[in-house]
Amino acid sequence: MDHQYETLDLIEEVTRKDGSKYYEISNIDQNGIAELAANRGYIKRVQILKVNIARTKPLITYEKYINENYHLQTLLNEDDWKNPKWVEWEKPKGKILDAYKMVLKANRIG
């Protein structure tokens, strides 16, 4: 992808429009996009649960997957913050889902 690599360093809880919730490993820039998405009705709510999470191997595995497979919007790009697109990141079974779950478990979330 043609963008700057983003490190992930926080965990947030996202409330979908239907009221169901999920956790996401993110960063402050992506959280800002989520806040805009909530303000515009794409999701109901986002809340940061934990910041400065440890840079473990599972976190790096998940982070690399996200950076390689998704266009990460940024508050520095006017098109992104004027028209945020909400995309719930998939967590494919296997190495990626396991890494995601390990990060949540290590941070006592979920």
Side-chain angles (χ1 to χ4, degrees):
M1 296 210 141
D2 218 19
H3 61 82
Q4 183 177 347
Y5 188 91
E6 290 194 32
T7 58
L8 305 179
D9 60 2
L10 63 81
I11 299 172
E12 58 193 9
E13 180 182 71
V14 178
T15 305
R16 297 177 184 100
K17 290 191 329 183
D18 68 3
S20 61
K21 297 178 182 186
Y22 71 98
Y23 301 111
E24 192 52 80
I25 302 162
S26 190
N27 62 29
I28 200 68
D29 201 30
Q30 297 307 308
N31 179 262
I33 294 292
E35 291 286 349
L36 287 171
N39 289 342
R40 294 193 173 111
Y42 300 121
I43 57 175
K44 267 192 181 174
R45 179 174 175 230
V46 62
Q47 176 183 1
I48 295 174
L49 301 177
K50 189 148 189 178
V51 296
N52 298 325
I53 60 176
R55 290 208 47 82
T56 60
K57 285 183 181 182
L59 174 61
I60 293 167
T61 296
Y62 185 71
E63 175 182 281
K64 184 176 181 217
Y65 161 76
I66 294 301
N67 274 276
E68 290 175 352
N69 290 280
Y70 291 94
H71 167 74
L72 300 178
Q73 300 173 82
T74 177
L75 296 174
L76 299 175
N77 180 338
E78 187 175 356
D79 288 336
D80 288 346
W81 59 260
K82 278 190 171 181
N83 295 304
K85 314 267 186 304
W86 188 251
V87 176
E88 186 172 335
W89 297 338
E90 295 292 323
K91 292 140 187 84
K93 289 182 182 179
K95 181 172 85 169
I96 302 307
L97 182 59
D98 292 347
Y100 166 83
K101 288 179 177 179
M102 288 172 72
V103 172
L104 295 182
K105 184 177 179 179
N107 285 282
R108 298 184 176 103
I109 299 209

